[in-house]
Amino acid sequence: MGARMARKPKSDRIFDDASPYVDRFGLLLIVTIASVAMLSLIDVDRSTDEASAALGPMVTTVFVGVTLLLALRASGVSHRWWRLATLLISILVVSYIVLAVTIAAGAIPASRAVVAAPPTTLIVLAVLAPVIVVRRLLHHREISRGTLQGAISAYLLIPVAFFYAFEAVNAYAGTPFFGDPQPSTSFMYFSLSTITTVGYGDLSAAGDLGRLLATSEAIIGQIYLVTFVAMIVALFAQRRSGPKADESPAA
């Protein structure tokens, strides 16, 4: 009876590795690249055009939201928790649609609709996404197309997570992240140049918390590359040496 009580009910499980959607990382990779492009091109913090004051945040929320939901689904998150995440993302999108309609109707000026900080839901899901993708990849025992697609997706999801972390610091720290106000596209640019350790030097974190996040992203990015390149090489070597080990001496 003790073993039966210790077994976790299926409905309460966070992950369901038997799901038919597990390891389908191809679509995730495509949408992740699109999300990075959107965050690099669309300024979600401010807009001089009333028609696009809420449109930019809505479009990026849709792309990033779909990306995070695909990451959850491909990583084997159970249907119950995936539906909860879908509900939260849907509420965000609907709120931006309502805001866009309100601005178009002239009920509030566009200047008051500036997005002050990224939604908490996006911050939490963006941080969790690369973690759960990595968690699923660690279960792989042989290399496949899905392994490579998932590894690249997780790497690109890391700068997305830090993009929202930088935005949160910019909104709540009291002083601009870079010392002076910058469009949100600068945070994606800074995040990508940080994780790749390019360091152009045109932008740098001004505060202590910002510097800590920036250096953390650089370290995490390098550790990720070293760890997963080693894992993929090991799996590939195992796959190449496997058939030879099974051959009989007579053969």
Side-chain angles (χ1 to χ4, degrees), residues 146-250:
T147 306
L148 297 176
Q149 293 170 340
I152 298 173
S153 297
Y155 184 71
L156 292 177
L157 285 170
I158 295 174
V160 173
F162 275 95
F163 164 84
Y164 285 108
F166 297 155
E167 279 270 84
V169 172
N170 183 67
Y172 298 119
T175 57
F177 184 88
F178 296 114
D180 56 340
Q182 294 287 340
S184 68
T185 52
S186 296
F187 292 96
M188 192 71 248
Y189 164 75
F190 179 71
S191 186
L192 289 172
S193 60
T194 299
I195 195 173
T196 55
T197 65
V198 173
Y200 290 110
D202 51 347
L203 292 174
S204 60
D208 293 336
L209 181 56
R211 295 190 187 103
L212 175 61
L213 286 174
T215 53
S216 298
E217 181 180 12
I219 293 172
I220 290 173
Q222 295 308 300
I223 292 176
Y224 178 90
L225 287 178
V226 172
T227 303
F228 271 85
V229 167
M231 185 191 79
I232 290 173
V233 169
L235 291 175
F236 183 75
Q238 182 180 4
R239 180 181 180 182
R240 292 288 299 272
S241 62
K244 294 182 180 180
D246 294 337
E247 292 178 358
S248 62

